[in-house]
Amino acid sequence: MGLASGVVGARPARPLPGRYQIFLYFICAFQNISCGIHYLASVFLTVSPRHICRPPGNMSQVLFRNISSWRSEDIWTLFSTGHEDRLVVQLQDGDIWELTKCHRFWRDNKSSLNYDYTGHKTSFPCSDGYMYDKSKWNSTVVTEWDLVCNREWFARLIQPIFMLGVLLGAVIFGYLSDRIGRRLVLWSTSLGMIFFGVAAGFTFDYYSFMAARFLLAMAAGGYLVVVFVYVTEFIGLKSRTWASIHMHSFFAIGAMVVALTGYLVRTWWIYQIVLSTMTVPFVLCCWMLPETLFWLVSEGRYEEAQQVVDTIAKWNGTSSCKLAELLSLDLNGPVGNKPTEVKKHNLLDLFYDWNIGTRTLTLWLIWFTGSLGFYSFSLNSVNLGGNEYLNLFLMGAVEIPAYVFVCVGMNSLGRRNILAFSLISTALICGVIMVIPNDYHIWSVGATMAGKFAIGAAFGLIYLYTAELYPTLVRSLAVGSGSMVCRVGSIVAPLCVSLSSVWIFMPQLLLGIVAFVSGVLTLMLPETLGKPLATTWEEAAKLDAAKDSSSGELLPTANSTALEEREVIHSEDAGLSE
């Protein structure tokens, strides 16, 4: 039973969250939109438009094949995607240059302006910069700092470095939330998101932009890991699973906001600042967030905890109770029996024996696959053809029914079956995408939406499934290690998407293979539906002996429920984050 949900009024066995808890939930969930925004903002920040080498002077005439113009802007629509087109220009001083994406050539013969030329020409680097097609975007970070040709890899590092910051922020702020409290971390990370988000829009060079984005990533990653703990500690067990899974839905709304903002704002620094202002409503309301009762009680700050209890009672319209009486009751139960010494566990405990070790490696692969697929589908949406903004919007929108599907299906069909079905479906859909002709944009977008639905369902379920497969003493460690592997997947995802320059379907091929292997291995894991949470290694091992379990509600034992009550105090070690 959630402590915050059952401290006021009558104490039913499985209380629903009251008005106060619902209010806190939606405040925190709203800020999750900002996390989704910053995680996917690079989709349009790093767009690389068509470009060509800039000549060393003012142009008087432009020639493309057999078409002549006075302006280079009139030629962009004629360029072929995937081909090395060249432009022939005559400067005001009479010099004639051939321009390509990454090179320019000076012609010795200036007598005639012809597209085909067999005479001698001299190659020069693009030392005067590049000309960009501005029909869709006025500017991006690529055009701002010429991140093309031999500097293209600078642009490809933007998202992986951001995800590295997310990983570091989750570790640092997850630790700090246990030391200084959840509320202070939520405040500081939210302020960090708005400050570093706006700062990124005012940066003067690539390196300061990367530094601001890295600090922004740390703040966003820190918020996301702590907010799951904060919500968990205020929501009772009956609603905890739904509440946690649907926190991802608000993250998906962030992707839709990115698509809408990208459509309306085509200048990168204005786009970045507008997206960062989404944090402002939360910053104005975050002072209303109380510290969680779990943290206050664990720190012995009982007077402050009593004030929180009274506030909850007032909002929920119920009578308050004395926290001392409540703790006195709990102290007589299994939650209150504080052990004299707590054994520290490490990563090796996840390889307790051969079966547990195999289970751990399989789950790590699933975590990696879920994150790789989640971000690959989103980041690759601009490469599907058609309307890039609508593509990303749909990639975000399709996640919401995916999470509803998980919440409904996992209690009827089982965790393992839903997870395996989602992963294998992702693999099959990747195969379908690869056989769709390039000019069938609607079919490609539809298939990609189906893939995002499948991988989104797997991504939303893996948190709960991992927690149910391990005993209490290493449960947080298991979910935390999976989340770290998940971050590796998010770092690899943008690099995987960039492989489309090698072969257009390379991202789908790699994801399809990994997803299929993960789905098959999932079928070898035990089912946890209808099983009490394991409290010892022996109970966890028994799950393997009963893989073919019948459907039913998850029925925690009194002991496992009580232990979960105690364990959630330190649940930020689980690293719950997108």
Side-chain angles (χ1 to χ4, degrees):
M1 179 184 310
L3 181 58
S5 298
V7 293
V8 294
R11 289 173 54 90
R14 293 297 177 90
L16 290 170
R19 287 193 299 253
Y20 189 71
Q21 289 91 330
I22 294 173
F23 172 73
L24 295 181
Y25 177 81
F26 280 103
I27 287 182
C28 296
F30 179 85
Q31 181 68 339
N32 237 31
I33 298 176
S34 294
C35 294
I37 286 173
H38 293 304
Y39 275 47
L40 295 173
S42 66
V43 170
F44 298 122
L45 279 175
T46 61
V47 166
S48 182
R50 289 174 292 194
H51 63 276
I52 205 164
C53 208
R54 184 182 296 277
N58 296 324
M59 297 177 290
S60 61
Q61 191 171 1
V62 178
L63 182 65
F64 179 73
R65 297 175 185 169
N66 60 344
I67 300 174
S68 179
S69 175
W70 299 107
R71 302 188 315 158
S72 61
E73 291 81 359
D74 300 330
I75 303 296
W76 289 119
T77 56
L78 304 175
F79 270 55
S80 303
T81 303
H83 293 81
E84 183 68 16
D85 288 317
R86 58 191 173 90
L87 204 63
V88 179
V89 300
Q90 187 170 35
L91 305 185
Q92 293 179 352
D93 60 6
D95 284 349
I96 298 177
W97 290 79
E98 287 185 18
L99 309 176
T100 64
K101 284 184 177 181
C102 301
H103 300 89
R104 57 184 181 175
F105 303 90
W106 178 74
R107 291 182 179 179
D108 290 351
N109 189 349
K110 307 179 184 179
S111 59
S112 61
L113 181 63
N114 298 316
Y115 194 74
D116 295 320
Y117 175 75
T118 57
H120 182 266
K121 51 188 177 182
T122 307
S123 176
F124 290 90
C126 299
S127 53
D128 292 293
Y130 302 84
M131 296 184 294
Y132 296 94
D133 177 13
K134 296 185 178 182
S135 60
K136 289 187 177 181
W137 298 278
N138 294 329
S139 69
T140 68
V141 295
V142 172
T143 65
E144 184 76 13
W145 296 301
D146 289 335
L147 306 181
V148 293
C149 298
N150 61 337
R151 288 171 54 85
E152 183 179 6
W153 66 276
F154 282 98
R156 293 183 177 179
L157 284 178
I158 289 176
Q159 187 66 9
I161 295 298
F162 181 90
M163 288 302 179
L164 184 62
V166 169
L167 170 60
L168 188 60
V171 173
I172 292 175
F173 288 106
Y175 172 81
L176 288 177
S177 70
D178 214 17
R179 299 295 176 267
I180 62 176
R182 287 81 159 106
R183 180 176 62 171
L184 187 57
V185 169
L186 293 181
W187 286 1
S188 59
T189 53
S190 297
L191 290 173
M193 273 194 276
I194 189 171
F195 177 79
F196 294 116
V198 172
F202 287 101
T203 49
F204 51 86
D205 63 10
Y206 172 80
Y207 298 103
S208 59
F209 171 79
M210 290 293 283
R213 284 267 299 172
F214 186 81
L215 295 173
L216 169 63
M218 289 183 61
Y223 178 87
L224 204 56
V225 68
V226 177
V227 76
F228 272 95
V229 179
Y230 188 86
V231 168
T232 298
E233 294 181 352
F234 269 107
I235 302 294
L237 287 179
K238 186 175 181 63
S239 304
R240 185 173 298 168
T241 298
W242 275 76
S244 297
I245 289 178
H246 281 288
M247 286 293 285
H248 297 290
S249 298
F250 291 88
F251 188 93
I253 294 173
M256 292 186 275
V257 172
V258 168
L260 180 61
T261 307
Y263 176 76
L264 296 174
V265 182
R266 307 295 179 92
T267 302
W268 77 268
W269 62 272
I270 300 177
Y271 164 86
Q272 173 66 33
I273 293 173
V274 169
L275 290 179
S276 300
T277 58
M278 282 295 295
T279 304
V280 172
F282 178 83
V283 171
L284 296 177
C285 296
C286 65
W287 61 272
M288 301 175 67
L289 297 179
E291 185 55 77
T292 69
L293 292 176
F294 279 97
W295 188 82
L296 291 173
V297 170
S298 69
E299 294 293 309
R301 295 162 65 169
Y302 300 112
E303 292 184 3
E304 295 176 50
Q306 183 63 55
Q307 293 175 3
V308 174
V309 171
D310 296 339
T311 301
I312 295 174
K314 182 178 179 181
W315 274 67
N316 291 347
T318 61
S319 59
S320 184
C321 68
K322 296 298 182 181
L323 187 61
E325 299 175 1
L326 182 64
L327 291 176
S328 176
L329 291 173
D330 286 345
L331 288 172
N332 293 328
V335 178
N337 294 334
K338 187 175 181 180
T340 57
E341 183 179 356
V342 178
K343 179 185 176 182
K344 297 293 183 180
H345 296 280
N346 56 49
L347 208 59
L348 293 178
D349 290 311
L350 299 180
F351 298 87
Y352 174 79
D353 57 25
W354 173 261
N355 288 334
I356 297 296
T358 303
R359 182 185 303 178
T360 297
L361 293 176
T362 300
L363 288 169
W364 282 357
L365 179 62
I366 297 171
W367 278 93
F368 176 85
T369 304
S371 183
L372 177 67
F374 184 90
Y375 288 104
S376 291
F377 282 124
S378 296
L379 298 175
N380 197 47
S381 61
V382 295
N383 301 323
L384 298 176
N387 190 304
E388 301 92 340
Y389 310 102
L390 179 60
N391 292 349
L392 181 61
F393 185 90
L394 293 175
M395 292 304 112
V398 78
E399 288 181 50
I400 298 175
Y403 300 135
V404 175
F405 166 73
V406 167
C407 290
V408 174
M410 68 181 182
N411 286 331
S412 57
L413 301 177
R415 280 80 155 130
R416 179 188 62 185
N417 295 334
I418 292 293
L419 184 58
F421 172 78
S422 300
L423 291 169
I424 295 176
S425 296
T426 300
L428 295 177
I429 292 168
C430 285
V432 171
I433 294 173
M434 293 170 63
V435 300
I436 296 177
N438 292 337
D439 53 344
Y440 283 62
H441 302 315
I442 296 178
W443 288 94
S444 296
V445 172
T448 304
M449 286 180 64
K452 184 63 180 297
F453 179 96
I455 202 66
F459 199 40
L461 180 56
I462 187 60
Y463 292 96
L464 174 66
Y465 189 48
T466 299
E468 292 178 348
L469 283 172
Y470 288 89
T472 301
L473 65 165
V474 293
R475 187 169 294 129
S476 290
L477 179 63
V479 180
S481 66
S483 184
M484 295 303 102
V485 176
C486 170
R487 294 274 64 81
V488 176
S490 64
I491 293 171
V492 173
L495 302 176
C496 180
V497 171
S498 68
L499 291 177
S500 59
S501 60
V502 178
W503 182 44
I504 189 171
F505 294 123
M506 184 64 76
Q508 287 83 2
L509 177 63
L510 296 178
L511 175 59
I513 293 173
V514 177
F516 183 78
V517 173
S518 300
V520 172
L521 292 177
T522 300
L523 294 173
M524 301 179 184
L525 295 173
E527 178 57 74
T528 59
L529 180 63
K531 306 290 181 60
L533 292 176
T535 57
T536 64
W537 284 116
E538 290 72 19
E539 292 178 7
K542 289 180 182 179
L543 292 173
D544 286 301
K547 289 183 179 179
D548 299 324
S549 62
S550 58
S551 296
E553 289 291 329
L554 185 64
L555 300 172
T557 62
N559 189 42
S560 63
T561 302
L563 286 171
E564 181 185 355
E565 206 53 86
R566 179 180 63 195
E567 163 183 302
V568 75
I569 295 175
H570 299 287
S571 59
E572 67 275 4
D573 295 333
L576 293 173
S577 61
E578 285 276 357

